[in-house]
């Protein structure tokens, strides 16, 4: 029979964000060290996106590997109900010391989406314990909070999730608070929360990732949090991407004077080595839920290997050297911006900390499925640089160990592209 997929042609794996049939054209990676990925056919690819924004200290970091190894020989896993262990306890204590000072309790899960699920459930349970019915969530348009149902429900609706929208719970969206829209967003937000049925407001502080690495001001976010406070709305900072130095500070929320009630962490938490999620909450949340059982847990909750990796990553992260690297990358990005500005077809330059992004105007529609996305991706891969455009938006989010020379290599490749495009040629 024709038109029937031959499953053997595409390999055994169904890849993320892919059809069943897109199995063939994946680049196999044998090993990785520092910022480089090595392929079996001898390629050395510079990872300028920290492997989906997770890697902090370079690939195959020896210190973290050693700590995972030592932990694996000692205690690889234990049920986290009725039992506990040092790697989880010390990690929680250490994180709560560097998180915004109002965060008092930490709940473990195993990825960013589950960290968000836990946060949403905590906020709902909070209202349940208070005996109030508040069901709505408020989020910012374009948000990405993960791919499980709760996380999808509070994410911006679009290509990522529209096929499942019928099964999602109700979320109300405010516009993205770009500079021109700040006042409007504050008004929208107040109009929604004043109705009194909003359980929580969830946001990616200062920087929306999947929406195209776009930034907004700490000032407007602080105003939103203030309004939320006035109307007793639980604020959830999804720092899955912004945590651990991406925005310059340890956590993006530390840039504000008003702290969130709940925070979600994952991605960089283990330095990008193992899957781990954490959700923290303030005294107010913990004290209200108090003796009520929180019905949530995962088989691999607080896996000792992941906690050991996270502790090791934190050791490196808190060192002067790492913090200096973060400042160095921040400065390098800053100095590259004037160069970007010389190209008329570049717009929406966003920069915060180690993240730099900009849009290339091809005179076509925008969005994740932008027709030029694949050509942009290929342009850089041919030069052995991994940049993974979000539609027509290019962004750089490197591991902190990237050297100035390696960073220059990335900038040069970007310049090559822009100069090529500025001659009127198309990619
Ligand atoms: C990636 C991401 C998530 C989801 O994390 P996963 O580990 O991929 O489930 C949630 N929120 C934000 C802001 C993210 O960038």
């Amino acid at each position: 029979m024709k038109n029937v997929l031959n499953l053997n042609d595409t390999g055994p794996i169904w890849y993320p964000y892919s059809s069943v049939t897109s199995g063939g054209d994946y680049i196999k990676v044998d090993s990785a060290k520092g910022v480089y990925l090595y392929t079996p056919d001898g390629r050395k690819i510079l990872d300028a996106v920290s492997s989906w924004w997770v890697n902090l200290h370079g690939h195959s970091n020896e210190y973290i590997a050693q700590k995972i190894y030592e932990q694996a020989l000692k205690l690889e896993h234990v049920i986290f109900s009725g039992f506990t262990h040092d790697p989880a306890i010390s990690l929680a204590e250490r994180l709560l010391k560097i998180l915004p000072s109002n965060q008092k309790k930490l709940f473990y899960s195993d990825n960013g989406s589950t960290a968000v699920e836990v946060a949403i459930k905590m906020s709902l349970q909070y209202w349940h314990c208070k005996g109030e019915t508040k069901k709505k969530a408020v989020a910012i348009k374009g948000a990405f909070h993960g791919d499980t149902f709760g996380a999808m429900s509070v994410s911006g609706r679009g290509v990522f999730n529209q096929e499942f929208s019928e099964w999602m719970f109700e979320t109300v969206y405010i516009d993205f608070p770009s500079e021109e829209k700040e006042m409007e967003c504050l008004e929208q937000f107040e109009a929604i929360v004043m109705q009194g049925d909003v359980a929580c407001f969830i946001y990616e502080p200062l920087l929306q990732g999947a929406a195209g690495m776009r930034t907004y001001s700490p000032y407007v976010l602080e105003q939103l949090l203030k309004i939320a406070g006035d109307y007793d709305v639980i604020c959830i900072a999804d720092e899955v991407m912004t945590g651990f130095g991406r925005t310059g500070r340890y956590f993006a929320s530390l840039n504000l004077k008003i702290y969130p009630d709940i925070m979600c962490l994952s991605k960089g938490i283990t330095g990008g080595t193992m899957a781990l999620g954490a959700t923290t909450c303030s005294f107010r949340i913990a004290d209200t839920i108090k003796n009520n059982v929180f019905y949530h847990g995962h088989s691999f909750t607080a896996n000792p290997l992941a906690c050991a990796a996270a502790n090791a990553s934190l050791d490196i992260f808190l060192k002067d050297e790492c913090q200096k690297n973060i400042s160095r990358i921040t400065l390098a990005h800053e100095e590259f911006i004037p160069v970007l500005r010389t190209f008329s077809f570049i717009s929406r330059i966003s920069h915060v900390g180690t993240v730099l992004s900009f849009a290339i105007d091809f005179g076509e529609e925008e969005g994740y499925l932008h027709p030029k996305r694949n050509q942009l991706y290929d342009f850089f891969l041919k030069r052995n640089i991994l940049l993974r455009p979000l539609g027509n938006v290019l962004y750089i989010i490197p591991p902190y160990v990237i050297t100035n020379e390696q960073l220059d290599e990335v900038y040069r490749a970007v310049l090559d592209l822009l100069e090529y495009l500025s001659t009127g040629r198309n990619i």
Side-chain angles (χ1 to χ4, degrees), residues 53 111-114 116 144-147 204 209 238 240-241 266-267:
W53 324 341
N111 63 71
S113 303
T114 55
V116 168
F144 179 71
H145 296 295
D147 282 336
E204 295 157 90
D238 178 355
V240 167
M241 198 264 300
S266 188
K267 290 206 164 105

Side-chain angles (χ1 to χ4, degrees), residues 66 92 164 212 271 290 333 406:
Q66 182 65 32
F164 312 106
K290 233 180 331 217
H333 281 342
Q406 290 160 342

Side-chain angles (χ1 to χ4, degrees), residues 112-398:
S113 303
T114 55
V116 168
E117 296 290 332
V118 168
I120 296 169
K121 283 172 77 171
M122 271 182 189
S123 75
L124 296 177
Q125 183 146 2
Y126 171 88
W127 291 115
H128 180 77
C129 291
K130 300 252 303 184
E132 290 188 44
T133 337
K134 298 201 183 198
K135 290 185 171 171
K136 261 187 214 159
V138 180
I140 300 176
K141 277 186 189 158
F144 179 71
H145 296 295
D147 282 336
T148 51
F149 266 91
M152 264 200 302
S153 297
V154 293
S155 294
R157 306 291 163 96
V159 288
F160 279 97
N161 53 29
Q162 65 198 11
E163 290 183 43
F164 312 106
S165 61
E166 269 182 70
W167 291 273
M168 294 181 201
F169 61 72
E170 186 183 0
T171 300
V172 189
Y173 298 91
I174 57 167
D175 285 328
F176 179 78
S178 57
E179 227 175 305
E180 322 79 63
K181 279 216 160 159
E182 288 182 354
M183 283 316 293
E184 211 178 315
C185 287
L186 293 174
E187 283 162 18
Q188 287 173 0
F189 188 64
E190 184 150 22
I192 296 164
V193 296
M194 72 194 305
Q195 291 168 20
D197 57 352
V198 174
C200 63
F201 167 50
I202 184 166
Y203 56 94
E204 295 157 90
L206 306 191
L207 175 65
Q208 269 193 341
M213 293 289 170
R214 53 183 184 178
T215 52
Y216 61 102
S217 92
Y219 169 77
V220 72
L221 180 54
E222 217 162 71
Q223 297 301 306
L224 287 168
L225 297 187
K226 189 173 173 307
I227 295 169
D230 291 346
Y231 292 93
D232 215 14
V233 169
I234 301 294
C235 293
I236 303 172
D238 178 355
E239 295 235 20
V240 167
M241 198 264 300
T242 53
F244 300 97
R246 287 294 179 202
T247 67
R249 308 287 291 264
Y250 289 173
F251 300 96
S253 294
L254 289 170
N255 287 291
L256 312 174
K257 285 190 216 71
I258 304 176
Y259 292 150
D261 302 289
I262 299 177
M263 291 178 71
C264 310
L265 306 173
S266 188
K267 290 206 164 105
I269 193 171
T270 60
T273 57
M274 296 197 61
L276 183 67
T279 307
T280 63
C281 73
S282 66
F283 181 78
R284 171 192 174 199
I285 305 291
D287 189 50
T288 303
I289 297 178
K290 233 180 331 217
N291 310 329
N292 293 277
V293 175
F294 184 56
Y295 285 103
H296 196 102
H298 299 277
S299 315
F300 284 94
T301 287
N303 172 254
L305 300 179
C307 290
N311 272 311
S313 174
L314 202 53
D315 291 343
I316 304 171
F317 176 69
L318 294 175
K319 284 211 171 94
D320 250 16
E321 188 185 346
C322 181
Q323 294 304 314
K324 278 186 189 146
N325 280 337
I326 290 171
S327 310
R328 177 176 57 79
I329 296 165
T330 304
L331 187 68
H333 281 342
E334 219 164 274
E335 288 173 355
F336 188 54
I337 289 174
V339 183
L340 288 177
R341 286 203 204 285
T342 61
F343 296 90
S344 58
F345 50 90
I346 294 294
S347 63
R348 230 220 54 211
I349 300 171
S350 289
H351 172 226
V352 60
T354 63
V355 185
L356 175 67
S357 78
F358 58 88
I360 302 174
D361 180 10
F362 288 101
E364 297 166 64
E365 63 182 285
E366 308 219 331
Y368 187 75
L369 300 180
H370 194 281
K372 286 291 191 294
R373 185 260 171 212
N374 290 350
Q375 283 101 306
L376 288 171
Y377 180 68
D378 291 343
F379 181 93
F380 292 106
L381 260 189
K382 268 188 216 135
R383 286 158 181 76
N384 285 326
I385 291 174
L386 171 54
L387 285 176
R388 205 165 171 278
L390 291 155
N392 62 326
V393 173
L394 264 179
Y395 66 89
I396 307 172
I397 176 170

